[in-house]
Amino acid sequence: MVQVTPFLLLLCLALVAPGLSSTKCVLTGKWINDLGSTMVIDAVDNAGNFNGVYHTAVTATSNKILKSPLKGSQHLTNTKSEPTFGFTVNWTFSDSVTVFTGQCFVDKNGKEVLKTMWLLRSHVDTIGDDWKATRVGINVFRRMQHQKE
Ligand code: BTN
């Protein structure tokens, strides 16, 4: 009995520990990035497609910021617990569009993180201004809360 107890303790730890920190990165939920922008990603469908809402903290325009819809897709294979994805935000308060592409990782603390790059295409009035119409950058997103059922 004395030898059995430590064994049972180890067994319990082995069974419970994996549930404490996830090794799978899931896009669905609410995220905040390094600029303070937030987004909510709805359920990912069987084809890997998803919708959501983006609330940017900053703008390249002088317009009042409004929430904007996003549409994206991710890779779905079972072996991909840290999937790549992309999404487009069609800004409701400007004539611009941003595309994000990235990968969902689980960091060394078991926390999910979205490492992304983006291209922001702004509207310009003439083809001569095309050269200055696209910005590029990096955003890192962390989970705020799990999506409510
Ligand atoms: C615009 O200014 O025309 C629309 C808003 C753009 C916000 C950009 S998109 C890339 C970067 N990441 C954010 O969270 N916000 C800015």
Side-chain angles (χ1 to χ4, degrees):
M1 190 63 187
V2 176
Q3 295 102 324
V4 171
T5 310
F7 171 75
L8 281 177
L9 259 173
L10 274 175
L11 186 67
C12 288
L13 261 178
L15 290 173
V16 170
L20 295 178
S21 67
S22 171
T23 53
K24 188 170 160 60
C25 191
V26 175
L27 288 179
T28 301
K30 186 166 185 182
W31 301 86
I32 185 163
N33 73 17
D34 46 296
L35 293 169
S37 301
T38 59
M39 65 175 174
V40 174
I41 297 183
D42 299 336
V44 177
D45 74 14
N46 291 339
N49 300 319
F50 57 84
N51 293 304
V53 174
Y54 202 103
H55 192 185
T56 182
V58 296
T59 174
T61 71
S62 54
N63 302 341
K64 180 177 150 44
I65 291 172
L66 297 173
K67 289 180 181 175
S68 300
L70 71 82
K71 272 188 181 301
S73 61
Q74 70 153 89
H75 271 281
L76 271 186
T77 26
N78 284 333
T79 51
K80 301 280 189 296
S81 59
E82 294 185 313
T84 53
F85 63 88
F87 63 86
T88 301
V89 186
N90 189 340
W91 303 105
T92 52
F93 61 92
S94 78
D95 296 328
S96 316
V97 168
T98 302
V99 290
F100 288 81
T101 187
Q103 187 167 348
C104 193
F105 291 104
V106 179
D107 72 12
K108 60 181 186 330
N109 301 313
K111 299 284 184 198
E112 294 160 301
V113 56
L114 308 181
K115 301 278 265 180
T116 71
M117 284 196 75
W118 52 262
L119 291 173
L120 165 60
R121 172 68 197 207
S122 297
H123 181 271
V124 286
D125 289 336
T126 66
I127 197 170
D129 285 338
D130 180 65
W131 64 272
K132 60 178 178 183
T134 306
R135 293 171 170 85
V136 61
I138 286 174
N139 278 143
V140 178
F141 294 82
R142 295 266 173 192
R143 184 179 291 285
M144 287 181 79
Q145 62 186 48
H146 281 276
Q147 183 78 334
K148 292 184 185 72
E149 292 292 308

